[in-house]
Amino acid sequence: MIERHLARMTSPEVAALPKERGALVLPIGALEQHGPHMTVDTDLVFTEMLLDRALALLPDETPVWRLPALPISKSNEHIGYAGTFWLSAATLTAVIMDIARSAQSNGFQRLVLWNCHGGNRALLESVARDVRAETGLLVFSFFPPALAPDPVATPPQEATLGIHAGDWETSLMLALCPARVRMDRLEAFYPRLPDVPLDLEFTGATFAWLTRDLSPTGTFGDATLATAERGEARLAALEPGLAKALGAVTRFAF
Ligand SMILES: [Zn+2]
């Protein structure tokens, strides 16, 4: 199997990479509270492990390489809970712009922002366009739940409100790294939203919530639904979904 981690190559090896179609992936994690039952590096574990498992599915001739993960990002919606660390929007924008400039200076032409933290999505969309305009790089943004339809039957309330440390994330972690889950502290909590047609995410009408506005323990969703089997079923859809999307980046052309 070929080396996919740029950090494990020498300078001449990086120089020799076929960059015209090749994609460089910046994995973006987070360090933030995930309720009483999951560790604060949950999104970082996902960004690392899902990516490495997807890269392992790619044929050797598909030119995709990854950078080390950015461990802290824009998590200030979880401000006030122990274990949450964050970069401001201005700082994260500047960090990604600088990494993109470095990628361009290294000769890369395609950059993938592989992000496993929902709170980064709006910012990354905007930064991606700035990177494209300033550097000419082709920029792609991937977020796990959008890569493959959820193959697991999920109650409607969980599907709309289970956005943080609920069934989806807890199941995935039980499948990937069960030592990160405190099975004796599994939490179920659904926020009571104001009586107006607004959602937390994924729809056209949302609002700028902070977790402490809505969830005393930091959980949104029912982690007691989670099992390793549900996680495995989701991984079986997500990993090929990510591999397919990465392959598509290397073939993309206007
Ligand atoms: Zn998370």
Side-chain angles (χ1 to χ4, degrees):
M1 196 175 295
I2 67 161
E3 182 56 77
R4 300 283 184 185
H5 286 250
L6 181 141
R8 299 174 191 168
M9 301 172 193
T10 65
S11 176
E13 286 164 1
V14 175
L17 294 175
K19 302 189 182 76
E20 193 194 332
R21 296 244 152 223
L24 183 65
V25 183
L26 173 63
I28 302 171
L31 209 56
E32 61 182 37
Q33 72 82 17
H34 272 73
H37 57 284
M38 296 179 82
T39 54
V40 295
D41 68 350
T42 292
D43 295 356
L44 182 58
V45 170
F46 291 164
T47 212
E48 293 276 12
M49 293 189 73
L50 288 173
L51 178 59
D52 282 340
R53 291 164 69 125
L55 289 174
L57 297 178
L58 289 176
D60 280 0
E61 61 273 20
T62 303
V64 180
W65 313 281
R66 58 158 289 185
L67 289 166
L70 210 57
I72 295 176
S73 59
K74 190 172 176 301
S75 294
N76 60 345
E77 72 269 38
H78 299 295
I79 194 167
Y81 295 78
T84 297
F85 290 76
W86 68 93
L87 302 180
S88 69
T91 305
L92 183 56
T93 299
V95 166
I96 291 172
M97 284 302 300
D98 281 350
I99 292 171
R101 290 182 189 115
S102 310
Q104 181 204 27
S105 145
N106 271 273
F108 292 100
Q109 299 177 24
R110 293 156 197 257
L111 179 65
V112 178
L113 306 175
W114 162 237
N115 165 47
C116 284
H117 170 48
N120 288 331
R121 284 191 305 154
L123 179 139
L124 292 180
E125 236 177 79
S126 136
V127 179
R129 200 153 273 120
D130 287 354
V131 170
R132 169 78 186 136
E134 185 192 305
T135 66
L137 287 171
L138 294 173
V139 192
F140 305 81
S141 302
F142 296 164
F143 182 62
L147 287 171
D150 191 349
V152 177
T154 306
Q157 197 180 23
E158 183 65 20
T160 50
L161 295 176
I163 62 163
H164 190 71
D167 164 47
W168 195 89
E169 283 194 307
T170 310
S171 293
L172 226 55
M173 192 62 99
L174 286 173
L176 285 171
C177 199
R180 295 290 210 287
V181 183
R182 309 291 183 255
M183 292 303 287
D184 57 339
R185 305 210 58 188
L186 291 181
E187 159 99 353
F189 179 84
Y190 290 113
R192 260 186 347 120
L193 293 182
D195 189 21
V196 286
L198 291 172
D199 286 305
L200 298 176
E201 287 192 343
F202 309 130
T203 65
T206 61
F207 63 104
W209 46 270
L210 296 176
T211 301
R212 67 185 178 200
D213 297 332
L214 298 165
S215 174
T217 59
T219 302
F220 295 76
D222 186 354
T224 67
L225 297 171
T227 63
E229 291 70 31
R230 290 168 74 81
E232 290 292 352
R234 287 172 169 135
L235 289 176
L238 283 171
E239 289 166 11
L242 177 54
K244 194 170 152 206
L246 291 169
V249 167
T250 67
R251 295 188 302 276
F252 182 88
F254 285 116

